[in-house]
Amino acid sequence: MSAWRIVRRLLIGLGVLLGAMTVIAAVAWWYFHPAVTRQDGIVYARRHGQNLTLDVLRPARPNGLGVAVMVSGGWKSRPGNFQAWMAAPLLRRGYTVFAVSHLSQPKATVMEIFDDVS
């Protein structure tokens, strides 16, 4: 087999690989970016003079059901930090997602945080 044939086969293989990777990336992007209507910063309560908020993500085709998600880790919460890709499987199935944020520690105790989100 000549060197030209080897180079040609390698280039064809590389082209097929790059094409496949492009298709996979495009499908992944489409899946993790569902069409939603977003309403951020809805105040549901106040604690120690600060607003407790939630974000509502409505899918393009809602099924009439909703899921509440607590935006928290280690009793720390960042309002507005929830992204649609984090709930893409739920949104694609038509669930409305309520991303609930709470006042973080040490501004609120664990029991206060529990009361705020329950």
Side-chain angles (χ1 to χ4, degrees):
M1 188 180 292
S2 70
W4 170 244
R5 276 193 175 169
I6 293 172
V7 170
R8 185 173 176 221
R9 285 187 179 183
L10 286 174
L11 289 175
I12 290 171
L14 182 61
V16 169
L17 180 64
L18 288 175
M21 289 173 59
T22 301
V23 169
I24 290 169
V27 168
W29 188 92
W30 169 81
Y31 181 81
F32 286 110
H33 292 83
V36 298
T37 302
R38 186 175 183 132
Q39 192 172 2
D40 292 338
I42 299 171
V43 178
Y44 70 89
R46 290 184 58 82
R47 168 78 67 190
H48 302 301
Q50 293 189 323
N51 291 336
L52 306 177
T53 61
L54 62 89
D55 301 337
V56 179
L57 289 81
R58 289 184 183 88
R61 285 179 261 129
N63 65 13
L65 301 173
V67 175
V69 177
M70 189 169 148
V71 182
S72 181
W75 304 106
K76 307 252 187 258
S77 187
R78 290 188 194 153
N81 201 34
F82 189 81
Q83 301 299 318
W85 66 265
M86 297 173 177
L90 296 170
L91 292 165
R92 292 215 167 275
R93 288 175 177 81
Y95 292 95
T96 298
V97 175
F98 301 90
V100 181
S101 298
H102 59 78
L103 192 60
S104 297
Q105 272 192 330
K107 295 178 183 177
T109 66
V110 171
M111 290 311 297
E112 288 175 328
I113 292 169
F114 181 80
D115 288 342
D116 290 341
V117 298
S118 59

